[in-house]
Amino acid sequence: MTKPITILLIDDHPVVRTGYRRLLESTPDMSVVAEAEGGAEGYQLWQEHKPDVIILDLNMPGVCGFETIHRIISNDPTARILVFSMLNNVTMVHRALKAGAIGFISKQSGIGEMIHAVRQVSMGKTYIESELATALAMHATRKENYENPFDLLTKREFQIVKLIVEGSSNIEIADKISISPKTVSVHYLNLMRKLDLQNTTQLIRLAINHNIIDG
């Protein structure tokens, strides 16, 4: 008899863990060997059991999913991690893959997709939920069509970039261009998503690299 795929579940919602444990264990070739409610516990259980596949959420209190991935991959670069998250956008997928995960599906995905994803990841194959894979491809194509990534931005977003890198706060930006601080925050989130950046330091570095500001 073929050895079942061993799985570690890491998610801070007990109902989610219980439901998916039952689903996975009802599949003959899968066995959940442990489950954890957070990243710190999940890392300890991973060290203890060394499962074939780790399924984890990203948004957890304490040690988050990204940090958990980093800890595991730093210890074993061959670890096979499948992200299972509500945070299903291109930026989150990029960050998870960059951290070392090889699979990403959303919590809106169907039961069959979860099973298929676990099997693919257990073989070391990258698996991205179909809708997210399409979004990734479209995002990559858009970026390839622009030499300067800032060309992806609207005039308003680019205006806000210049003010941010000049050192203006959200309140100061709002005052200068006559919009509310909340609207500035919305534009900021949108432009950071388009540029695939995580923080203002990265934005400033990118602006220097593309001569938006002097270094």
Side-chain angles (χ1 to χ4, degrees):
M1 183 177 178
T2 304
K3 178 180 175 292
I5 299 166
T6 55
I7 299 165
L8 166 63
L9 281 174
I10 309 175
D11 193 296
D12 61 320
H13 294 97
V15 173
V16 172
R17 293 200 312 273
T18 299
Y20 279 90
R21 180 169 196 145
R22 288 174 180 168
L23 163 66
L24 294 165
E25 292 196 327
S26 68
T27 306
D29 60 340
M30 297 181 187
S31 173
V32 177
V33 295
E35 58 181 83
E37 64 180 2
E41 181 188 12
Y43 179 70
Q44 292 175 349
L45 289 172
W46 170 76
Q47 289 182 306
E48 180 181 342
H49 295 277
K50 292 297 175 71
D52 298 318
V53 176
I54 305 105
I55 301 175
L56 59 72
D57 192 6
L58 294 176
N59 190 18
M60 298 182 290
V63 179
C64 72
F66 291 113
E67 176 60 24
T68 305
I69 295 170
H70 174 73
R71 290 185 184 184
I72 292 173
I73 294 299
S74 294
N75 189 283
D76 179 7
T78 67
R80 295 166 181 179
I81 301 173
L82 171 63
V83 171
F84 179 55
S85 177
M86 290 292 292
L87 303 174
N88 57 338
N89 59 60
V90 169
T91 299
M92 292 299 109
V93 178
H94 271 302
R95 286 186 64 192
L97 296 179
K98 188 175 181 180
I102 62 171
F104 197 112
I105 60 175
S106 72
K107 289 187 175 180
Q108 291 82 22
S109 60
I111 293 173
E113 186 140 38
M114 161 70 87
I115 298 299
H116 183 58
V118 170
R119 288 179 178 144
Q120 293 296 301
V121 169
S122 74
M123 294 185 286
K125 297 180 180 179
T126 299
Y127 185 87
I128 310 296
E129 180 182 327
S130 55
E131 288 186 13
L132 291 174
T134 299
L136 277 173
M138 291 176 64
H139 181 74
T141 300
R142 287 179 62 207
K143 290 185 77 172
E144 287 172 2
N145 288 337
Y146 293 94
E147 266 187 44
N148 187 334
F150 290 100
D151 290 342
L152 292 165
L153 306 183
T154 65
K155 289 182 179 180
R156 176 67 88 191
E157 288 167 349
F158 185 69
Q159 183 182 25
I160 289 172
V161 167
K162 293 184 72 174
L163 291 169
I164 289 172
V165 297
E166 287 169 5
S168 298
S169 67
N170 276 16
I171 293 175
E172 290 169 336
I173 293 171
D175 183 60
K176 288 176 182 178
I177 61 178
S178 301
I179 60 176
S180 71
K182 182 176 180 180
T183 302
V184 173
S185 296
V186 171
H187 283 306
Y188 176 79
L189 291 173
N190 286 336
L191 71 89
M192 293 295 280
R193 176 180 53 79
K194 288 181 180 179
L195 297 173
D196 195 23
L197 302 175
Q198 278 76 56
N199 55 58
T200 302
T201 300
Q202 291 180 350
L203 177 61
I204 293 171
R205 287 174 182 164
L206 188 66
I208 292 172
N209 290 340
H210 288 274
N211 299 314
I212 304 302
I213 59 171
D214 295 327

